[in-house]
């Protein structure tokens, strides 16, 4: 098995905070579960990395398949000094950072499937699971869980036909150490900017969205709707127009699918 070389990550790190402190597990249930347990005692920018997760988590009760040696399974502990109302912007910010990182560093055309997937060639390459805790009106900590499929081969995706890995897309194996350093760099860049302005770049969200102007199915807790995506808002929500011409504001707790399949 290809094992991560933490020394290589340390030597190539170009960030101030994110990734300076790494907690490494050969195998753990879920880096998000561990990060949430430990978050209060950890400093901003600490990253928990697992070679393998036995119970990797997606949103709600979804599972994230996380075999050893081929993925980038990580949880980043953030300690933003912001009012809790801004927390919901962080998953959007993380998706923008990862989208730009993949395009700039790996030359692959990528899209964001709001609110938490990164897409290449209509397939999911990365999922994001953000969990947080507040103290009064303020954020206490935010854990950004990121799963990137890096070096899995085609066989792995027989059971996940709507997903892919970076290696399959590039036609070559990818250095996971370099990828971690790239993730940390882009995340820190976006995070620092966000902390100054507390704003999201709507133009960028719309330009990188694979959903804009698409007719989609939206699965909410209490109902499902069919609607066309017409834009995104400064608070990280999505604007849609439903079949009755009502404009609705959708928050990130939903699942969005194409009319017939994952995307189409
Ligand atoms: C997500 O959830 O996409 C968030 C995934 C976050 C995973 C990271 S890994 C590090 C950290 N620790 C954790 O325990 N989790 C985070 P969701 O939108 O609910 O998508 C989950 C769905 O994606 C599943 O129901 C499957 O259909 C599919 N899936 C599972 N494993 C996958 C994989 N490796 N690649 C692509 N799709 C996958």
């Amino acid at each position: 098995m290809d094992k991560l070389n933490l020394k290589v990550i340390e030597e190539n790190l170009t960030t101030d905070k994110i990734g300076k402190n790494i907690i490494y597990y050969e195998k753990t249930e879920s880096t998000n579960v561990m990060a949430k347990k430990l978050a209060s005692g950890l400093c901003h920018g600490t990253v928990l990395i697992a070679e393998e997760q036995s119970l990797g988590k997606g949103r709600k009760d979804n599972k994230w398949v996380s075999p050893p040696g081929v993925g980038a399974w990580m949880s980043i502990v953030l300690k933003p000094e912001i009012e809790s109302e801004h927390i919901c912007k962080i998953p959007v910010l993380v998706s923008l950072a990862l989208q730009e990182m993949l395009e700039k560093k790996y030359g692959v055309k990528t899209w964001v499937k709001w609110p938490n997937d990164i897409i290449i060639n209509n397939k999911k390459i990365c999922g994001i699971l953000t969990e947080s805790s507040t103290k009064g009106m303020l954020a206490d900590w935010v854990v950004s869980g990121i799963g990137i499929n890096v070096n899995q081969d085609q066989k792995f995706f027989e059971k996940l036909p709507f997903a892919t890995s970076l290696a399959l897309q590039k036609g070559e194996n990818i250095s996971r150490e370099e990828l971690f350093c790239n993730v940390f760099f882009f995340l820190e860049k976006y995070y620092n900017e966000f902390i100054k302005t507390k704003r999201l770049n709507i133009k960028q969200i719309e330009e990188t969205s694979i959903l804009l102007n698409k007719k989609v199915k939206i699965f909410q807790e209490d109902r499902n709707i069919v609607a066309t995506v017409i834009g995104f808002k400064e608070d990280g929500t999505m604007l849609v127009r439903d079949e009755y011409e009502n404009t609705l504001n959708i928050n990130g707790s939903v699942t969005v699918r194409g009319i017939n399949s994952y995307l189409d």
Side-chain angles (χ1 to χ4, degrees), residues 108-120:
V108 278
K109 182 73 202 140
T110 50
W111 301 94
V112 176
K113 177 173 164 290
W114 183 92
N116 70 317
D117 296 346
I118 308 289
I119 307 293
I120 301 185

Side-chain angles (χ1 to χ4, degrees), residues 98-111 119-121 125 166 169-172 174 178-179 182 186:
L98 295 176
Q99 188 276 338
E100 189 188 343
M101 184 277 290
L102 286 166
E103 271 196 15
K104 290 241 166 92
K105 292 289 178 182
Y106 297 93
V108 278
K109 182 73 202 140
T110 50
W111 301 94
I119 307 293
I120 301 185
N121 279 330
I125 192 165
L166 191 51
Q169 294 299 317
K170 290 287 293 172
E172 62 190 18
I174 304 295
E178 200 175 301
L179 181 79
N182 288 334
F186 276 82

Side-chain angles (χ1 to χ4, degrees), residues 30-32 53 55-59 62-65 73-75 116-117 124 127-129 145-147 149 152 156 160 162-163:
S30 150
T31 55
N32 262 45
Q53 298 183 114
L55 271 177
K57 282 182 18 156
R59 299 177 314 145
N62 295 340
K63 304 266 180 301
W64 186 258
V65 187
W73 324 130
M74 75 193 95
S75 297
N116 70 317
D117 296 346
K124 177 161 170 170
I128 301 159
L129 172 66
I146 300 171
N149 295 321
Q152 292 103 317
F156 174 83
L160 292 168
F162 56 86

Side-chain angles (χ1 to χ4, degrees), residues 211 214-219 225-228 243 256-264:
L211 299 178
K214 253 202 171 123
K215 198 168 175 186
V216 293
K217 277 190 206 155
I218 300 170
F219 299 86
I225 57 172
V226 171
T228 301
E243 296 163 297
V256 185
R257 290 281 177 268
I259 296 297
N260 301 308
S261 63
Y262 177 60
L263 268 174
D264 292 314

